[in-house]
CSV table of all heavy atoms in Angstrom, one decimal:
chain,number,residue,atom,x,y,z
R,107,ASP,N,-95.5,-29.4,155.0
R,107,ASP,CA,-94.7,-30.6,155.4
R,107,ASP,C,-93.5,-30.8,154.5
R,107,ASP,O,-92.9,-31.9,154.5
R,107,ASP,CB,-95.6,-31.8,155.4
R,107,ASP,CG,-96.1,-32.1,154.0
R,107,ASP,OD1,-96.2,-31.2,153.2
R,107,ASP,OD2,-96.3,-33.3,153.7
R,108,ILE,N,-93.1,-29.7,153.8
R,108,ILE,CA,-92.0,-29.8,152.9
R,108,ILE,C,-91.1,-28.6,153.1
R,108,ILE,O,-91.6,-27.6,153.6
R,108,ILE,CB,-92.4,-30.0,151.4
R,108,ILE,CG1,-93.3,-28.8,151.0
R,108,ILE,CG2,-93.0,-31.3,151.1
R,108,ILE,CD1,-93.7,-28.8,149.5
R,109,THR,N,-89.8,-28.7,152.7
R,109,THR,CA,-88.9,-27.6,152.8
R,109,THR,C,-89.0,-26.9,151.5
R,109,THR,O,-89.0,-27.4,150.4
R,109,THR,CB,-87.5,-28.1,152.9
R,109,THR,OG1,-87.4,-28.9,154.1
R,109,THR,CG2,-86.5,-26.9,153.0
R,110,VAL,N,-89.2,-25.5,151.5
R,110,VAL,CA,-89.5,-24.7,150.3
R,110,VAL,C,-88.4,-23.6,150.2
R,110,VAL,O,-88.0,-23.0,151.1
R,110,VAL,CB,-90.8,-24.0,150.4
R,110,VAL,CG1,-91.1,-23.1,149.3
R,110,VAL,CG2,-91.9,-25.1,150.6
R,111,PHE,N,-87.9,-23.5,149.0
R,111,PHE,CA,-87.0,-22.5,148.6
R,111,PHE,C,-87.7,-21.7,147.4
R,111,PHE,O,-88.0,-22.4,146.4
R,111,PHE,CB,-85.7,-23.0,148.1
R,111,PHE,CG,-84.8,-23.4,149.2
R,111,PHE,CD1,-84.9,-24.7,149.8
R,111,PHE,CD2,-83.8,-22.6,149.8
R,111,PHE,CE1,-84.1,-25.1,150.8
R,111,PHE,CE2,-83.1,-22.9,150.8
R,111,PHE,CZ,-83.2,-24.2,151.3
R,112,SER,N,-88.0,-20.5,147.6
R,112,SER,CA,-88.6,-19.7,146.5
R,112,SER,C,-87.5,-18.8,146.0
R,112,SER,O,-86.9,-17.9,146.8
R,112,SER,CB,-89.7,-18.9,147.2
R,112,SER,OG,-90.1,-17.9,146.3
R,113,ILE,N,-87.2,-18.8,144.7
R,113,ILE,CA,-86.3,-17.8,144.1
R,113,ILE,C,-86.9,-17.2,142.8
R,113,ILE,O,-87.8,-17.9,142.2
R,113,ILE,CB,-84.9,-18.5,143.8
R,113,ILE,CG1,-85.0,-19.6,142.8
R,113,ILE,CG2,-84.2,-18.9,145.1
R,113,ILE,CD1,-83.6,-20.1,142.4
R,114,ASN,N,-86.5,-16.1,142.5
R,114,ASN,CA,-87.0,-15.4,141.3
R,114,ASN,C,-86.1,-15.8,140.2
R,114,ASN,O,-85.0,-15.1,140.0
R,114,ASN,CB,-87.2,-13.9,141.5
R,114,ASN,CG,-87.8,-13.3,140.4
R,114,ASN,OD1,-87.6,-13.6,139.2
R,114,ASN,ND2,-88.8,-12.4,140.6
R,115,GLY,N,-86.4,-16.8,139.5
R,115,GLY,CA,-85.6,-17.3,138.4
R,115,GLY,C,-85.3,-16.3,137.3
R,115,GLY,O,-84.2,-16.2,136.8
R,116,GLU,N,-86.3,-15.5,137.0
R,116,GLU,CA,-86.2,-14.6,135.9
R,116,GLU,C,-85.2,-13.5,136.3
R,116,GLU,O,-84.4,-13.1,135.5
R,116,GLU,CB,-87.5,-14.0,135.5
R,116,GLU,CG,-88.4,-14.8,134.7
R,116,GLU,CD,-89.2,-15.8,135.4
R,116,GLU,OE1,-89.1,-15.8,136.7
R,116,GLU,OE2,-89.9,-16.7,134.8
R,117,GLU,N,-85.4,-13.0,137.5
R,117,GLU,CA,-84.5,-12.0,138.0
R,117,GLU,C,-83.0,-12.5,138.1
R,117,GLU,O,-82.1,-11.7,137.7
R,117,GLU,CB,-84.9,-11.6,139.5
R,117,GLU,CG,-84.2,-10.4,140.0
R,117,GLU,CD,-84.8,-10.1,141.4
R,117,GLU,OE1,-85.8,-9.4,141.4
R,117,GLU,OE2,-84.2,-10.5,142.4
R,118,LEU,N,-82.8,-13.7,138.5
R,118,LEU,CA,-81.4,-14.2,138.6
R,118,LEU,C,-80.9,-14.5,137.1
R,118,LEU,O,-79.7,-14.2,136.9
R,118,LEU,CB,-81.4,-15.5,139.4
R,118,LEU,CG,-81.7,-15.3,140.9
R,118,LEU,CD1,-81.7,-16.7,141.6
R,118,LEU,CD2,-80.9,-14.3,141.6
R,119,ALA,N,-81.8,-14.9,136.3
R,119,ALA,CA,-81.3,-15.1,134.9
R,119,ALA,C,-80.9,-13.8,134.2
R,119,ALA,O,-79.9,-13.7,133.5
R,119,ALA,CB,-82.4,-15.8,134.1
R,120,ILE,N,-81.7,-12.8,134.4
R,120,ILE,CA,-81.4,-11.4,133.9
R,120,ILE,C,-80.0,-11.0,134.4
R,120,ILE,O,-79.2,-10.4,133.7
R,120,ILE,CB,-82.6,-10.5,134.1
R,120,ILE,CG1,-83.7,-10.9,133.2
R,120,ILE,CG2,-82.1,-9.0,133.8
R,120,ILE,CD1,-85.0,-10.2,133.6
R,121,ALA,N,-79.8,-11.2,135.7
R,121,ALA,CA,-78.6,-10.8,136.3
R,121,ALA,C,-77.4,-11.5,135.7
R,121,ALA,O,-76.3,-10.9,135.6
R,121,ALA,CB,-78.6,-11.0,137.8
R,122,ALA,N,-77.6,-12.7,135.2
R,122,ALA,CA,-76.5,-13.4,134.5
R,122,ALA,C,-76.3,-13.0,133.1
R,122,ALA,O,-75.3,-13.3,132.5
R,122,ALA,CB,-76.8,-14.9,134.6
R,123,GLY,N,-77.4,-12.4,132.5
R,123,GLY,CA,-77.2,-11.9,131.1
R,123,GLY,C,-78.3,-12.3,130.2
R,123,GLY,O,-78.3,-11.8,129.0
R,124,SER,N,-79.3,-13.1,130.6
R,124,SER,CA,-80.4,-13.5,129.7
R,124,SER,C,-81.6,-14.0,130.4
R,124,SER,O,-81.5,-14.9,131.2
R,124,SER,CB,-79.9,-14.6,128.7
R,124,SER,OG,-80.9,-15.1,127.9
R,125,SER,N,-82.7,-13.5,130.1
R,125,SER,CA,-84.0,-13.9,130.8
R,125,SER,C,-84.4,-15.3,130.3
R,125,SER,O,-85.3,-15.9,130.9
R,125,SER,CB,-85.1,-12.9,130.4
R,125,SER,OG,-85.4,-12.9,129.0
R,126,LYS,N,-83.8,-15.8,129.3
R,126,LYS,CA,-84.1,-17.1,128.7
R,126,LYS,C,-83.5,-18.3,129.4
R,126,LYS,O,-83.9,-19.4,129.1
R,126,LYS,CB,-83.8,-17.1,127.2
R,126,LYS,CG,-84.6,-16.1,126.4
R,126,LYS,CD,-84.2,-16.2,124.9
R,126,LYS,CE,-85.1,-15.1,124.2
R,126,LYS,NZ,-84.8,-15.1,122.8
R,127,ILE,N,-82.7,-18.1,130.4
R,127,ILE,CA,-82.0,-19.2,131.0
R,127,ILE,C,-82.5,-19.4,132.5
R,127,ILE,O,-81.7,-19.6,133.4
R,127,ILE,CB,-80.5,-19.1,130.9
R,127,ILE,CG1,-80.0,-17.7,131.5
R,127,ILE,CG2,-80.0,-19.2,129.5
R,127,ILE,CD1,-78.6,-17.7,131.8
R,128,VAL,N,-83.8,-19.3,132.7
R,128,VAL,CA,-84.3,-19.3,134.0
R,128,VAL,C,-84.0,-20.7,134.7
R,128,VAL,O,-83.9,-20.7,135.9
R,128,VAL,CB,-85.9,-19.0,134.0
R,128,VAL,CG1,-86.6,-20.2,133.3
R,128,VAL,CG2,-86.4,-18.8,135.4
R,129,ASN,N,-83.8,-21.7,134.0
R,129,ASN,CA,-83.5,-23.0,134.5
R,129,ASN,C,-82.2,-23.1,135.2
R,129,ASN,O,-82.0,-23.8,136.3
R,129,ASN,CB,-83.6,-24.1,133.4
R,129,ASN,CG,-82.6,-23.9,132.3
R,129,ASN,OD1,-82.3,-22.7,131.9
R,129,ASN,ND2,-82.1,-24.9,131.7
R,130,MET,N,-81.2,-22.4,134.8
R,130,MET,CA,-79.9,-22.5,135.3
R,130,MET,C,-79.7,-22.1,136.8
R,130,MET,O,-79.1,-22.7,137.6
R,130,MET,CB,-78.8,-21.8,134.4
R,130,MET,CG,-78.6,-22.5,133.1
R,130,MET,SD,-77.8,-24.2,133.3
R,130,MET,CE,-79.3,-25.2,133.0
R,131,PRO,N,-80.3,-20.9,137.2
R,131,PRO,CA,-80.2,-20.6,138.6
R,131,PRO,C,-80.8,-21.7,139.5
R,131,PRO,O,-80.3,-21.9,140.6
R,131,PRO,CB,-81.1,-19.3,138.7
R,131,PRO,CG,-80.9,-18.7,137.3
R,131,PRO,CD,-80.9,-19.8,136.4
R,132,PHE,N,-81.9,-22.3,139.0
R,132,PHE,CA,-82.5,-23.4,139.8
R,132,PHE,C,-81.5,-24.6,140.0
R,132,PHE,O,-81.5,-25.2,141.0
R,132,PHE,CB,-83.8,-23.8,139.3
R,132,PHE,CG,-84.9,-22.9,139.5
R,132,PHE,CD1,-85.2,-21.8,138.7
R,132,PHE,CD2,-85.6,-23.0,140.8
R,132,PHE,CE1,-86.1,-20.9,139.0
R,132,PHE,CE2,-86.6,-22.0,141.1
R,132,PHE,CZ,-86.8,-21.0,140.2
R,133,ILE,N,-80.8,-25.0,138.9
R,133,ILE,CA,-79.9,-26.1,139.0
R,133,ILE,C,-78.7,-25.7,139.9
R,133,ILE,O,-78.3,-26.5,140.8
R,133,ILE,CB,-79.4,-26.5,137.6
R,133,ILE,CG1,-80.6,-26.9,136.7
R,133,ILE,CG2,-78.3,-27.6,137.7
R,133,ILE,CD1,-81.4,-28.1,137.4
R,134,GLY,N,-78.3,-24.4,139.9
R,134,GLY,CA,-77.2,-24.0,140.8
R,134,GLY,C,-77.7,-24.0,142.2
R,134,GLY,O,-77.0,-24.5,143.1
R,135,ALA,N,-78.9,-23.6,142.5
R,135,ALA,CA,-79.5,-23.6,143.8
R,135,ALA,C,-79.6,-25.0,144.3
R,135,ALA,O,-79.3,-25.4,145.4
R,135,ALA,CB,-80.8,-22.9,143.8
R,136,TYR,N,-80.2,-25.9,143.5
R,136,TYR,CA,-80.3,-27.3,143.9
R,136,TYR,C,-79.0,-27.9,144.2
R,136,TYR,O,-78.9,-28.7,145.2
R,136,TYR,CB,-81.1,-28.1,142.8
R,136,TYR,CG,-81.1,-29.6,143.1
R,136,TYR,CD1,-82.0,-30.0,144.1
R,136,TYR,CD2,-80.2,-30.5,142.5
R,136,TYR,CE1,-82.0,-31.4,144.5
R,136,TYR,CE2,-80.2,-31.8,142.9
R,136,TYR,CZ,-81.1,-32.3,143.9
R,136,TYR,OH,-81.1,-33.5,144.2
R,137,THR,N,-78.0,-27.7,143.4
R,137,THR,CA,-76.7,-28.2,143.7
R,137,THR,C,-76.2,-27.9,145.1
R,137,THR,O,-75.7,-28.7,145.8
R,137,THR,CB,-75.7,-27.7,142.6
R,137,THR,OG1,-76.1,-28.1,141.3
R,137,THR,CG2,-74.3,-28.2,142.8
R,138,LYS,N,-76.4,-26.6,145.4
R,138,LYS,CA,-76.0,-26.2,146.8
R,138,LYS,C,-76.8,-26.8,147.9
R,138,LYS,O,-76.3,-27.3,148.9
R,138,LYS,CB,-76.0,-24.7,146.9
R,138,LYS,CG,-75.4,-24.2,148.2
R,138,LYS,CD,-75.3,-22.7,148.2
R,138,LYS,CE,-74.5,-22.2,149.5
R,138,LYS,NZ,-74.4,-20.7,149.4
R,139,ILE,N,-78.1,-26.8,147.7
R,139,ILE,CA,-79.0,-27.3,148.8
R,139,ILE,C,-78.8,-28.9,149.0
R,139,ILE,O,-78.7,-29.3,150.1
R,139,ILE,CB,-80.5,-27.0,148.4
R,139,ILE,CG1,-80.7,-25.5,148.4
R,139,ILE,CG2,-81.4,-27.7,149.4
R,139,ILE,CD1,-82.0,-25.1,147.7
R,140,SER,N,-78.8,-29.6,147.9
R,140,SER,CA,-78.7,-31.0,148.0
R,140,SER,C,-77.3,-31.6,148.4
R,140,SER,O,-77.2,-32.6,149.1
R,140,SER,CB,-79.1,-31.7,146.7
R,140,SER,OG,-78.0,-31.5,145.7
R,141,LYS,N,-76.3,-30.8,148.0
R,141,LYS,CA,-74.9,-31.2,148.4
R,141,LYS,C,-74.5,-32.6,147.7
R,141,LYS,O,-73.6,-33.3,148.2
R,141,LYS,CB,-74.6,-31.3,149.8
R,141,LYS,CG,-74.7,-29.9,150.5
R,141,LYS,CD,-74.6,-30.0,152.0
R,141,LYS,CE,-74.6,-28.6,152.7
R,141,LYS,NZ,-75.9,-28.0,152.7
R,142,LEU,N,-75.3,-33.1,146.7
R,142,LEU,CA,-75.0,-34.3,146.1
R,142,LEU,C,-73.9,-34.2,145.1
R,142,LEU,O,-73.1,-35.1,145.0
R,142,LEU,CB,-76.3,-34.8,145.3
R,142,LEU,CG,-77.4,-35.4,146.2
R,142,LEU,CD1,-78.6,-35.8,145.2
R,142,LEU,CD2,-76.9,-36.7,146.8
R,143,ILE,N,-73.9,-33.2,144.3
R,143,ILE,CA,-72.9,-33.0,143.2
R,143,ILE,C,-72.2,-31.7,143.5
R,143,ILE,O,-72.8,-30.7,143.5
R,143,ILE,CB,-73.7,-33.0,141.9
R,143,ILE,CG1,-74.6,-34.2,141.7
R,143,ILE,CG2,-72.6,-33.0,140.7
R,143,ILE,CD1,-75.6,-34.0,140.6
R,144,PRO,N,-70.8,-31.8,143.5
R,144,PRO,CA,-70.1,-30.6,143.7
R,144,PRO,C,-70.3,-29.6,142.5
R,144,PRO,O,-70.5,-30.0,141.3
R,144,PRO,CB,-68.6,-31.0,143.6
R,144,PRO,CG,-68.7,-32.5,144.0
R,144,PRO,CD,-70.0,-33.0,143.5
R,145,ILE,N,-70.4,-28.4,142.8
R,145,ILE,CA,-70.7,-27.3,141.8
R,145,ILE,C,-69.7,-27.3,140.6
R,145,ILE,O,-70.0,-27.1,139.5
R,145,ILE,CB,-70.8,-25.9,142.3
R,145,ILE,CG1,-71.4,-24.9,141.3
R,145,ILE,CG2,-69.6,-25.4,143.0
R,145,ILE,CD1,-72.7,-25.2,140.8
R,146,ASN,N,-68.4,-27.6,141.0
R,146,ASN,CA,-67.4,-27.7,139.9
R,146,ASN,C,-67.7,-28.8,138.9
R,146,ASN,O,-67.3,-28.6,137.7
R,146,ASN,CB,-66.0,-27.8,140.5
R,146,ASN,CG,-65.7,-29.0,141.3
R,146,ASN,OD1,-66.6,-29.5,142.0
R,146,ASN,ND2,-64.6,-29.6,141.1
R,147,VAL,N,-68.3,-29.9,139.3
R,147,VAL,CA,-68.6,-31.0,138.5
R,147,VAL,C,-69.7,-30.5,137.5
R,147,VAL,O,-69.7,-30.8,136.3
R,147,VAL,CB,-69.0,-32.2,139.2
R,147,VAL,CG1,-69.5,-33.4,138.3
R,147,VAL,CG2,-67.8,-32.8,140.0
R,148,VAL,N,-70.7,-29.8,138.1
R,148,VAL,CA,-71.8,-29.3,137.3
R,148,VAL,C,-71.3,-28.3,136.2
R,148,VAL,O,-71.6,-28.4,135.1
R,148,VAL,CB,-72.9,-28.7,138.2
R,148,VAL,CG1,-74.0,-28.0,137.3
R,148,VAL,CG2,-73.5,-29.7,139.1
R,149,LEU,N,-70.4,-27.4,136.6
R,149,LEU,CA,-69.8,-26.5,135.7
R,149,LEU,C,-69.0,-27.1,134.6
R,149,LEU,O,-69.1,-26.7,133.4
R,149,LEU,CB,-69.0,-25.4,136.5
R,149,LEU,CG,-69.8,-24.6,137.5
R,149,LEU,CD1,-68.8,-23.8,138.3
R,149,LEU,CD2,-70.8,-23.7,136.8
R,150,ASP,N,-68.2,-28.1,135.0
R,150,ASP,CA,-67.5,-28.8,133.9
R,150,ASP,C,-68.4,-29.6,133.0
R,150,ASP,O,-68.2,-29.6,131.7
R,150,ASP,CB,-66.5,-29.9,134.6
R,150,ASP,CG,-65.3,-29.2,135.3
R,150,ASP,OD1,-65.1,-28.1,135.1
R,150,ASP,OD2,-64.7,-30.0,136.1
R,151,THR,N,-69.4,-30.1,133.5
R,151,THR,CA,-70.4,-30.9,132.7
R,151,THR,C,-71.1,-30.0,131.7
R,151,THR,O,-71.3,-30.4,130.6
R,151,THR,CB,-71.4,-31.7,133.6
R,151,THR,OG1,-70.7,-32.5,134.5
R,151,THR,CG2,-72.3,-32.5,132.8
R,152,ILE,N,-71.6,-28.9,132.1
R,152,ILE,CA,-72.3,-28.0,131.2
R,152,ILE,C,-71.5,-27.6,130.0
R,152,ILE,O,-71.9,-27.6,128.9
R,152,ILE,CB,-73.0,-26.8,131.8
R,152,ILE,CG1,-74.0,-26.2,130.9
R,152,ILE,CG2,-71.9,-25.8,132.3
R,152,ILE,CD1,-74.8,-25.1,131.5
R,153,SER,N,-70.1,-27.4,130.3
R,153,SER,CA,-69.2,-27.1,129.2
R,153,SER,C,-69.1,-28.2,128.1
R,153,SER,O,-68.8,-27.9,127.0
R,153,SER,CB,-67.8,-26.7,129.7
R,153,SER,OG,-68.0,-25.6,130.6
R,154,GLU,N,-69.3,-29.4,128.6
R,154,GLU,CA,-69.1,-30.6,127.8
R,154,GLU,C,-70.4,-31.0,127.0
R,154,GLU,O,-70.3,-31.4,125.9
R,154,GLU,CB,-68.7,-31.8,128.6
R,154,GLU,CG,-67.3,-31.6,129.1
R,154,GLU,CD,-66.9,-32.7,130.1
R,154,GLU,OE1,-67.7,-33.7,130.3
R,154,GLU,OE2,-65.9,-32.6,130.8
R,155,ILE,N,-71.5,-30.7,127.6
R,155,ILE,CA,-72.8,-31.2,127.0
R,155,ILE,C,-73.6,-30.2,126.2
R,155,ILE,O,-74.5,-30.5,125.5
R,155,ILE,CB,-73.7,-31.9,128.0
R,155,ILE,CG1,-74.3,-30.8,129.0
R,155,ILE,CG2,-73.0,-33.0,128.7
R,155,ILE,CD1,-75.4,-31.4,129.8
R,156,VAL,N,-73.2,-28.9,126.4
R,156,VAL,CA,-74.0,-27.8,125.7
R,156,VAL,C,-73.8,-28.0,124.2
R,156,VAL,O,-72.6,-28.2,123.7
R,156,VAL,CB,-73.7,-26.4,126.1
R,156,VAL,CG1,-72.3,-26.0,125.8
R,156,VAL,CG2,-74.7,-25.4,125.7
R,157,SER,N,-74.9,-27.9,123.4
R,157,SER,CA,-74.7,-28.1,121.9
R,157,SER,C,-74.0,-26.9,121.3
R,157,SER,O,-73.9,-25.8,121.8
R,157,SER,CB,-76.1,-28.3,121.3
R,157,SER,OG,-76.7,-27.1,121.3
Side-chain angles (χ1 to χ4, degrees):
D107 64 331
I108 56 177
T109 301
V110 177
F111 285 86
S112 166
I113 62 175
N114 189 317
E116 283 82 4
E117 187 177 279
L118 297 178
I120 290 168
S124 174
S125 63
K126 295 181 179 182
I127 56 166
V128 68
N129 58 327
M130 289 297 103
F132 283 92
I133 299 305
Y136 173 74
T137 300
K138 185 171 188 179
I139 295 164
S140 71
K141 298 177 178 70
L142 282 176
I143 308 165
I145 188 66
N146 63 320
V147 173
V148 176
L149 295 171
D150 289 345
T151 303
I152 192 171
S153 298
E154 294 172 7
I155 69 167
V156 71
S157 71

